[in-house]
Amino acid sequence: MKKLQFSIVIQAAVAQVWQAMLGPETYPIWTEPFCEGSYFEGSWQQGAAIRFLSPSGDGMTSMIAENRLHEFISIKHLGVIRAGVEDTTSAEVLSWAQGFENYTFVKGVDDATTTVLVELDMTEEYEQYMNDTWPQALAKLKAISEMKGDAIGEPVVSA
């Protein structure tokens, strides 16, 4: 697998960007370039199971490998979900499972800006798709994060 990296500078405090990225109300908005109507089930707490799903219920099963509030989230991908069935053992899944998707939040000097760094393990098959789609998703995250704080939902305090 190859490591891909993406970043964006957002004119908002870290806590606001964190909430926009992980909040259940805003997650479907910034992830729309990947899949319109996507959502997650589960928790962002370290060690917790989390599922990233399309409107049909297909998606990925993962776990939160690490969570440092307002600093870092590490997602370990374990498999896929198709027609409600989790697959963590097929040859197709094993070619990329155990890959990570990491989000680092870097506070600006003035606390009014945040740099979001995304690093993910990716197979060659999806590399171009991710190179095309992540910048679009981060642009949406930027737009959401730069809205007034009360417009992005309830805080994810201990995600």
Side-chain angles (χ1 to χ4, degrees):
M1 279 196 286
K2 186 173 185 178
K3 287 224 182 283
L4 302 180
Q5 296 180 328
F6 305 93
S7 66
I8 193 164
V9 176
I10 299 173
Q11 301 300 313
V14 171
Q16 190 161 326
V17 177
W18 177 275
Q19 172 59 35
M21 190 166 220
L22 307 181
E25 300 87 12
T26 50
Y27 177 88
I29 300 167
W30 76 263
T31 58
E32 188 177 77
F34 299 107
C35 175
E36 189 171 344
S38 64
Y39 62 101
F40 67 87
E41 290 179 344
S43 169
W44 293 100
Q45 286 187 302
Q46 187 165 316
I50 192 164
R51 301 169 80 191
F52 301 98
L53 302 164
S54 69
S56 69
D58 292 344
M60 296 175 59
T61 182
S62 306
M63 70 163 290
I64 303 304
E66 190 171 346
N67 178 327
R68 294 190 314 262
L69 183 64
H70 299 161
E71 293 178 18
F72 182 75
I73 288 280
S74 180
I75 305 163
K76 183 177 185 180
H77 296 302
L78 305 173
V80 296
I81 303 162
R82 291 191 184 110
V85 177
E86 288 191 14
D87 173 6
T88 58
T89 60
S90 70
E92 175 192 358
V93 167
L94 292 176
S95 71
W96 60 265
Q98 306 302 311
F100 285 86
E101 186 171 326
N102 298 321
Y103 307 149
T104 303
F105 301 78
V106 181
K107 180 171 83 168
V109 176
D110 58 0
D111 197 29
T113 62
T114 302
T115 300
V116 176
L117 306 169
V118 177
E119 182 177 79
L120 57 136
D121 298 318
M122 188 52 48
T123 60
E124 189 174 316
E125 176 184 2
Y126 289 102
E127 181 180 352
Q128 189 58 54
Y129 173 75
M130 292 298 170
N131 282 329
D132 293 341
T133 310
W134 262 106
Q136 296 172 38
L138 288 175
K140 284 185 171 275
L141 177 64
K142 178 179 174 72
I144 295 165
S145 297
E146 291 177 352
M147 294 171 63
K148 298 289 183 210
D150 60 349
I152 62 171
E154 294 297 316
V156 177
V157 182
S158 62

